[in-house]
């Protein structure tokens, strides 16, 4: 029984490198330079920092979540912006943000994929990095969309004029229900 257990453990350990993804050489050299910069007086501390960063990078490559792959890709991009060359912090950030991302598919279905993608693109272009803020923006848009759908013209406004006005505003502010 001990031999079988030992063989199983040995086989498991030898299989681990097969799943490991190799860090690109240019990235490794950037991390080595940053390690030397951060710990100029201690090669040992620099090496420790480098190993932690490399392990975290590998962990990030193998993360899997229940959220949509596009949303996880967005979170990873946000992590890179927020913590450049700091994969330990990125890993923590990604794990935390992925919990919030679990609700994004529901929000996407409420607002519509096209509007969701437009809001996500604007959020990214604005350089924002907090998924909670993104979720707040989506929720505000969903609330505005719901209010627009139930909005009725005042008695003094012709129904066709009201409908045309809504159409014009929808064309002027596509994917932005708050502005409409």
């Amino acid at each position: 029984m001990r031999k079988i257990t030992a063989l199983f453990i040995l086989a498991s350990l030898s299989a681990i490198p097969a799943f490991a993804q190799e860090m690109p050489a240019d990235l490794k050299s950037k991390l080595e330079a940053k390690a030397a910069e951060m710990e100029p007086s201690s090669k040992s501390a620099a090496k420790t920092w480098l190993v932690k960063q490399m392990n975290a990078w590998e962990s990030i490559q193998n993360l899997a979540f229940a959220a949509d792959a596009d949303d996880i890709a967005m979170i990873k991009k946000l992590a890179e912006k927020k913590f450049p060359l700091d994969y330990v912090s990125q890993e923590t950030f990604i794990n935390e943000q992925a919990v919030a991302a679990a609700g994004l598919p529901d929000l996407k279905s409420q607002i519509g994929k096209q509007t969701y993608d437009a809001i996500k693109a604007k959020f990214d272009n604005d350089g924002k990095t907090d998924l909670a803020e993104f979720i707040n923006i989506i929720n505000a848009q969903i609330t505005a969309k719901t209010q627009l759908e139930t909005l009725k013209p005042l008695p003094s406004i012709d129904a066709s004029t009201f409908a045309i006005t809504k159409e014009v505003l929808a064309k002027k502010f596509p994917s932005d229900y708050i502005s409409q």
Side-chain angles (χ1 to χ4, degrees):
M1 183 68 172
R2 286 184 180 179
K3 286 184 181 181
I4 292 173
T5 305
L7 286 173
F8 179 72
I9 292 171
L10 184 60
S12 297
L13 290 175
S14 64
I16 290 172
F19 295 109
Q21 188 174 353
E22 185 72 27
M23 179 181 276
D26 63 325
L27 181 56
K28 186 175 180 180
S29 63
K30 287 178 185 176
L31 284 175
E32 288 170 343
K34 187 171 179 180
E37 177 185 313
M38 290 183 67
E39 300 289 346
S41 60
S42 173
K43 287 188 178 188
S44 175
K47 178 78 172 167
T48 300
W49 183 89
L50 179 63
V51 168
K52 286 180 182 178
Q53 295 300 323
M54 291 173 67
N55 288 338
W57 180 88
E58 188 173 317
S59 176
I60 290 169
Q61 305 315 306
N62 297 313
L63 289 175
F65 298 100
D68 186 41
D70 288 341
D71 294 330
I72 295 300
M74 177 181 73
I75 292 170
K76 287 181 177 181
K77 189 175 179 182
L78 294 174
E80 288 175 14
K81 280 183 185 178
K82 193 167 188 166
F83 304 105
L85 293 177
D86 183 356
Y87 294 101
V88 171
S89 297
Q90 283 184 30
E91 182 180 24
T92 302
F93 178 81
I94 291 167
N95 283 317
E96 290 169 352
Q97 298 294 300
V99 171
L104 288 177
D106 182 47
L107 295 177
K108 188 186 301 185
S109 70
Q110 290 180 48
I111 196 79
K113 183 176 176 4
Q114 183 177 1
T115 302
Y116 179 88
D117 289 343
I119 294 168
K120 185 163 79 169
K122 183 177 182 332
F123 183 81
D124 187 41
N125 289 339
D126 290 347
K128 297 179 180 177
T129 60
D130 185 10
L131 193 62
E133 183 179 353
F134 177 70
I135 290 169
N136 288 338
I137 291 168
I138 295 288
N139 280 324
Q141 290 290 339
I142 289 170
T143 301
K145 179 183 178 190
T146 303
Q147 289 174 346
L148 281 171
E149 290 169 350
T150 60
L151 193 62
K152 304 282 185 221
L154 294 172
S156 61
I157 298 175
D158 179 54
S160 60
T161 303
F162 183 74
I164 291 170
T165 303
K166 281 178 77 173
E167 278 184 44
V168 168
L169 290 173
K171 287 180 182 177
K172 185 174 182 177
F173 303 107
S175 304
D176 187 355
Y177 297 107
I178 294 171
S179 296
Q180 290 178 31

